[in-house]
Amino acid sequence: MPAVQPASVAPDVRLHGQVIAVTGADQGYGRLVSSALAHAGADVVLIGVNTETLSAHASSIEASTARLGWGEHLVGGTAIPIKADVGVPLDWRSAQNRILEIFGALHGVVHLADKRAYGTFSLLSEGEWMDLFNCNVKSAVAIAQLLRRSLPNTWMTVIGPHLDEKGLHVSPQRGALRGLVEDAYTEELRANLVLPGRAPAGEEALDRPLSDVVLSLALPELRHLQGNVVRVPMPPIPSVRGSDVNQLQPGMEYRRG
């Protein structure tokens, strides 16, 4: 009796034909989100400052999506790395122009505005505060402004400071980003803010709730959603005993039990 062949499962093509840029795409939530978007069929542009890690992540995405065939067609998205410091408006402008040269369109931008402070509010130096402001707030405003000037139909999803980060320095950042997305409609821009419940764990299964929300906001059928601030509860990172540390995957965060 011949063996029963498993039924073929249709791949995810919900974002097929969409071109989406992800900033900070080679680390943290940026890495997770860019992979998820590509596996849903989007062509993903990986933006960051480290050429080596961007290229390695692009190769990883391409290798995994190349297996997502349906019939004679490959439906996984491509991944293109572009080096740019989005805290510098001219860098983002150059990256945006490069994207248009390659793809002829840019449908959406997922911007990581979640740089964390290393110290408490009272101990932050002026330089550290300005670095946080530039990375999280100035960059988001600059991207929105350049989109408004040349690509007003391009949506923007901002991943803001994590909800587990405490301190008075975090509130002004969240407030500024909230005001930006809530009032973006006055400039005929579609923007939403996503606030993860914690810092990334580095494990897809633990961090998937965040990528699921970002992917949903990218769906063409949900283009009417704008001005939302979405708080995303995240599963806790499991505690491990000292004897279990050596069994963890590289890059996985842990807390001692």
Side-chain angles (χ1 to χ4, degrees):
M1 182 176 179
V4 177
Q5 297 296 323
S8 179
V9 178
D12 189 348
V13 294
R14 290 176 291 170
L15 295 178
H16 183 63
Q18 300 289 303
V19 179
I20 302 174
V22 181
T23 70
D26 56 341
Q27 58 185 330
Y29 283 128
R31 185 178 179 88
L32 172 80
V33 166
S34 55
S35 293
L37 295 172
H39 280 81
D43 292 316
V44 180
V45 182
L46 311 177
I47 307 291
V49 296
N50 189 315
T51 304
E52 290 187 6
T53 54
L54 286 174
S55 297
H57 185 40
S59 297
S60 175
I61 290 176
E62 295 263 328
S64 60
T65 57
R67 298 192 297 268
L68 301 178
W70 183 243
E72 299 179 353
H73 305 284
L74 296 177
V75 297
T78 59
I80 303 294
I82 295 181
K83 181 179 179 180
D85 180 357
V86 295
V88 179
L90 285 177
D91 264 25
W92 170 254
R93 179 182 297 171
S94 297
Q96 182 175 290
N97 291 339
R98 182 64 179 145
I99 294 168
L100 296 177
E101 290 174 3
I102 296 171
F103 295 102
L106 177 59
H107 298 95
V109 177
V110 178
H111 177 46
L112 275 290
D114 64 342
K115 182 178 178 64
R116 296 173 70 102
Y118 292 104
T120 62
F121 172 71
S122 60
L123 296 179
L124 280 181
S125 68
E126 180 181 356
E128 290 171 320
W129 164 242
M130 291 306 300
D131 185 44
L132 287 173
F133 179 83
N134 288 336
C135 291
N136 294 343
V137 179
K138 176 185 173 183
S139 60
V141 175
I143 291 173
Q145 184 181 48
L146 290 170
L147 290 178
R148 177 63 183 86
R149 288 175 179 172
S150 55
L151 298 170
N153 293 323
T154 300
W155 55 260
M156 181 178 181
T157 295
V158 180
I159 299 177
H162 316 139
L163 295 172
D164 68 341
E165 187 177 6
K166 308 301 181 183
L168 187 57
H169 57 282
V170 185
S171 298
Q173 298 175 72
R174 290 200 193 105
L177 293 172
R178 176 189 292 270
L180 174 69
V181 303
E182 289 182 341
D183 290 341
Y185 75 94
T186 62
E187 293 289 343
E188 300 180 351
L189 285 171
R190 179 194 169 208
N192 292 286
L193 174 63
V194 178
L195 299 174
R198 55 160 170 74
E203 282 286 309
E204 181 182 356
L206 293 173
D207 295 339
R208 188 176 296 131
L210 188 279
S211 62
D212 286 346
V213 170
V214 174
L215 194 152
S216 296
L217 290 170
L219 296 175
E221 56 266 33
L222 295 182
R223 63 173 59 92
H224 58 282
L225 295 180
Q226 60 181 4
N228 296 287
V229 179
V230 184
R231 293 172 173 260
V232 184
M234 305 292 290
I237 301 174
S239 299
V240 296
R241 300 293 178 181
S243 59
D244 298 327
V245 170
N246 292 332
Q247 301 177 19
L248 292 174
Q249 295 296 319
M252 181 177 177
E253 295 184 8
Y254 69 94
R255 295 177 298 175
R256 293 188 178 274

